Amino acid sequence: MSASTPPHIPSARGQWGSRTGFILAAAGSAVGLGNIWKFPYITGDNGGGLFVLIYLVCIALVGLPIMAAEIMIGRAAGKQPVGAFEALHGGKTGWAVIGWLGVFAGFIILSYYVVVAGWSMDYTLKSISHFTDPIAERADEDAKRYRAATPLAVMRTTLIERRADHESTEPVAELRARAPKAAWNAWDKYNKAVEAALASGADADAARAVLFEDAAFAARVETAERLHAQMAQARARAKSDAEAYFGAMPDRQVRDEAETYQRRQHIAEEVGAAFGQVVADGWTATFWALLFMLATILVVAGGISGGIERVTTILMPLLIGIILVMVVYGMFQRGFSEAFSFVFSPDPSRLKASGILEALGHAFFTLSLGMGAMITYGSYQRRKEPLFKQSIAIAGIDTAVALLACLMLFPIIFSYGQEPGAGPGLVFKSMPLAFAEMGAGGMLLGILFFGLLVVAALTSAISLLEVVASYFIDQRGWSRNKAAWIIGGSIFIFALPSAFSFDPDFAMASWEPTFGKSFFDTMDYLASNWLLPMGGLLIAVYAGWFMPRRMRDAELEGLAPLVIRGWLVLIKYVAPVLVALVVLQKVGVLAID
Ligand code: PHE
């Protein structure tokens, strides 16, 4: 009779050994690739400052209350997500669907998470073998040769073109963002039609007229055309600025700059060749993913306090230590103040409306919310722990790490001439470049940095496997060992298509041309844009409106009435409405761009 037995009785279920153990494990789940890999690049993509501010608001208004709700549900039920809702209602209930969604999401997320973690392991090792002096030395030699053999005029032209490209990237991107995607699609279609007409000798004007019968289409093309002209102007302006700049520069300095540029190019090529390889080589990616999965399985098989808690209480302080070392290093870089103001000073002109929704979606991913990870971890907790304080501590650590990650990354990015808006490759492409450019010291930073990524990923992967495995332990009576190995093994098999996603020799590579996204990205998209926000919405609605009052009040007992009231407002109204907006945007009902 599960309904009448006090569910938090220790029994055969594991329990955290201490309060800090729980907080570190939960923070370990939250702090992961989302903080160090994803947050910096989406911050870069969304222009910094204002995006960060909105993200912080999302964490406070949506993330925190749902975090408390998940911990509360887990703690009250003493069960993992599928069983939790049944335990709270004393029998079958439709709310168990939240649990099923969570188990499914855990399976999906872990399957591509191990692949990214595997890349990080490979990069850690390569940092050891590749970032030794030779790359920098070879680059030096190559640059000297270039300087000796290249005519001054050629050097000047190369520098001008590069500077013009560099300076016009941002204004051009900004102009592009001023029109919706539909306008650019229309513009492409229009240009292709005109080209085709010209090529086949048909009448281009007639082709144009046919297309323009659709007034909406014509308006779109016009918008794009106007912006396109402005882009061309921006490029021309950048070009003439660059010409003036290098025209006035003494010859000697031009040679110096050209040499530096060549050196960078060389490094970029060599590092790119060495590092891009793991992504494009399915077997290597699989090997590392397997190793990482084995580590995850071993920890989960070790149990709650003996495995997860023990490992996270060692790894979390280590992780924070490494980050601090790297932030301190960043503070002494020339790019630090630029990086600081990029991350912290809000500039409305750089943010798109869709960035608001991206910030909210990311709040779920980064706090491990919406799939029951916190329900599961909460279920191994004794009652009467300070619920809100714990939630604040966990979310606080996660947020601090995300901000620190930006403060360690962007100074290096800015100091070594990389682009902040480089996209998902920011960590995997730009950072190795910057490290290589630093020479021998970069080798050490590279090891630290990618090692950090592996550690952060491991403590999150553990929680993902735990959510799925605990279903089989709690609901199906499997032993922990059996569950960890069988479930971990199955997820690994499911990770193979992700590992081979970018390998041109395998059929998986054709997923992208067929479906528009690689298999890997499809999994990430499915989980972060659908499963987590939907799960989060359901959890908020459940905790705010449907959780049995008696159970909820028991969990809230002893907390300040004002705090409880504030939480209720957030969980009942604010969080569901905001999340519903994201879901509607994803469905396409709301077209905010
Ligand atoms: N929070 C983890 C990260 O930021 C990812 C994660 C999502 C882990 C959901 C568990 C559950 O990388």
Side-chain angles (χ1 to χ4, degrees):
M1 265 297 288
S2 65
S4 59
T5 343
H8 53 283
I9 275 196
S11 70
R13 273 192 116 237
Q15 262 198 353
W16 304 112
S18 71
R19 274 185 190 191
T20 20
F22 165 70
I23 291 183
L24 286 180
S29 166
V31 174
L33 297 169
N35 302 59
I36 304 168
W37 163 65
K38 207 166 179 188
F39 183 63
Y41 94 70
I42 60 178
T43 296
D45 281 351
N46 287 290
L50 190 57
F51 176 78
V52 173
L53 194 70
I54 293 169
Y55 159 82
L56 292 176
V57 172
C58 293
I59 293 282
L61 296 187
V62 181
L64 255 182
I66 295 183
M67 166 88 67
E70 285 205 23
I71 297 177
M72 164 193 267
I73 292 169
R75 210 167 70 172
K79 284 262 158 57
Q80 64 76 50
V82 176
F85 296 94
E86 289 171 3
L88 290 178
H89 289 270
K92 291 253 164 288
T93 158
W95 290 106
V97 71
I98 298 178
W100 287 113
L101 266 177
V103 170
F104 183 57
F107 203 94
I108 300 275
I109 298 178
L110 190 52
S111 78
Y112 69 85
Y113 213 81
V114 293
V115 175
V116 183
W119 295 343
S120 314
M121 288 171 89
D122 181 78
Y123 274 49
T124 313
L125 202 78
K126 286 212 176 105
S127 303
I128 300 176
S129 53
H130 276 280
F131 285 155
T132 40
D133 274 342
I135 283 194
E137 270 170 34
R138 276 194 297 281
D140 277 343
E141 276 162 30
D142 177 41
K144 287 214 181 75
R145 235 176 294 126
Y146 173 83
R147 180 185 191 132
T150 315
L152 185 63
V154 174
M155 287 185 179
R156 219 177 226 126
T157 324
T158 313
L159 288 174
I160 288 171
E161 266 158 26
R162 179 172 159 266
R163 189 181 166 94
D165 270 353
H166 184 83
E167 298 293 311
S168 59
T169 311
E170 209 181 302
V172 166
E174 205 208 296
L175 286 165
R176 193 164 234 301
R178 277 198 211 156
K181 257 218 183 90
W184 294 110
N185 289 343
W187 170 247
D188 283 343
K189 188 169 164 199
Y190 166 79
N191 280 321
K192 278 204 194 98
V194 172
E195 244 169 59
L198 287 175
S200 66
D203 183 2
D205 284 335
R208 223 172 266 148
V210 171
L211 282 173
F212 277 11
E213 270 165 26
D214 179 350
F217 184 84
R220 287 197 192 109
V221 171
E222 249 158 51
T223 316
E225 192 155 35
R226 189 168 37 77
L227 290 168
H228 193 81
Q230 289 177 25
M231 286 177 186
Q233 272 171 16
R235 278 198 206 93
R237 220 175 302 126
K239 177 110 194 244
S240 70
D241 285 352
E243 272 162 0
Y245 181 80
F246 286 109
M249 187 179 273
D251 293 354
R252 199 194 147 77
Q253 206 181 329
V254 169
R255 288 203 180 87
D256 287 348
E257 295 242 348
E259 184 179 335
T260 310
Y261 175 57
Q262 178 65 21
R263 183 173 179 277
R264 252 191 206 160
Q265 285 285 91
H266 181 105
I267 289 180
E269 267 161 38
E270 230 183 285
V271 170
F275 279 83
Q277 179 209 326
V278 59
V279 177
D281 173 6
W283 290 113
T284 314
T286 302
F287 167 76
W288 289 112
L290 177 63
L291 222 59
F292 185 83
M293 186 56 109
L294 285 177
T296 310
I297 291 174
L298 284 174
V299 177
V300 170
I304 304 308
S305 62
I308 301 178
E309 183 171 358
R310 193 180 319 162
V311 169
T312 45
T313 43
I314 299 170
L315 293 186
M316 282 308 283
L318 177 71
L319 179 140
I320 291 172
I322 300 179
I323 291 200
L324 290 179
V325 169
M326 294 210 48
V327 172
V328 170
Y329 174 85
M331 285 166 75
F332 290 102
Q333 296 292 301
R334 353 179 209 114
F336 186 76
S337 61
E338 194 184 344
F340 194 86
S341 65
F342 180 76
V343 178
F344 289 111
S345 60
D347 174 357
S349 73
R350 288 194 306 225
L351 187 83
K352 295 170 278 186
S354 62
I356 302 176
L357 300 160
E358 191 161 4
L360 185 60
H362 184 66
F364 278 101
F365 187 82
T366 192
L367 291 178
S368 306
L369 297 178
M371 49 89 60
M374 293 299 159
I375 297 183
T376 310
Y377 272 20
S379 77
Y380 302 122
Q381 211 187 178
R382 263 165 257 146
R383 244 187 225 192
K384 293 287 154 277
E385 302 287 358
L387 182 67
F388 293 115
K389 274 193 202 145
Q390 285 186 332
S391 309
I392 290 173
I394 298 162
I397 294 176
D398 186 75
T399 308
V401 170
L403 296 177
L404 287 173
C406 287
L407 286 185
M408 81 180 169
L409 219 86
F410 288 121
I412 298 178
I413 297 287
F414 285 128
S415 303
Y416 287 88
Q418 306 289 321
E419 290 293 336
L426 185 70
V427 156
F428 288 115
K429 294 203 191 103
S430 308
M431 289 305 270
L433 275 180
F435 293 142
E437 190 143 336
M438 289 173 205
M443 168 179 128
L444 194 67
L445 282 177
I447 300 169
L448 279 182
F449 180 76
F450 291 113
L452 169 78
L453 222 50
V454 177
V455 170
L458 183 61
T459 54
S460 298
I462 294 168
S463 70
L464 288 162
L465 181 56
E466 178 64 25
V467 170
V468 187
S470 65
Y471 165 72
F472 291 88
I473 300 171
D474 280 3
Q475 304 297 108
R476 298 279 158 126
W478 290 16
S479 75
R480 178 161 277 281
N481 225 344
K482 176 175 166 192
W485 284 97
I486 292 186
I487 303 307
S490 325
I491 297 180
F492 171 72
I493 291 171
F494 196 62
L496 294 177
S498 282
F500 282 96
S501 265
F502 306 102
D503 190 329
D505 293 343
F506 286 83
M508 275 331 287
S510 62
W511 185 280
E512 175 147 14
T514 320
F515 296 99
K517 275 190 181 61
S518 64
F519 183 82
F520 174 97
D521 290 323
T522 309
M523 294 298 105
D524 183 26
Y525 175 78
L526 179 67
S528 341
N529 290 337
W530 288 98
L531 300 173
L532 298 186
M534 297 279 272
L537 178 60
L538 290 174
I539 289 169
V541 170
Y542 177 79
W545 301 93
F546 293 95
M547 185 169 175
R549 275 299 285 274
R550 192 169 42 84
M551 307 266 186
R552 195 172 75 193
D553 292 346
E555 293 300 319
L556 294 171
E557 205 184 275
L559 297 167
L562 193 69
V563 175
I564 296 180
R565 229 175 295 143
W567 176 75
L568 278 172
V569 170
L570 291 175
I571 202 78
K572 281 186 148 169
Y573 307 102
V574 180
V577 167
L578 286 176
V579 180
L581 284 179
V582 179
V583 173
L584 289 180
Q585 152 85 7
K586 301 292 183 201
V587 184
V589 174
L590 274 177
I592 302 177
D593 190 25

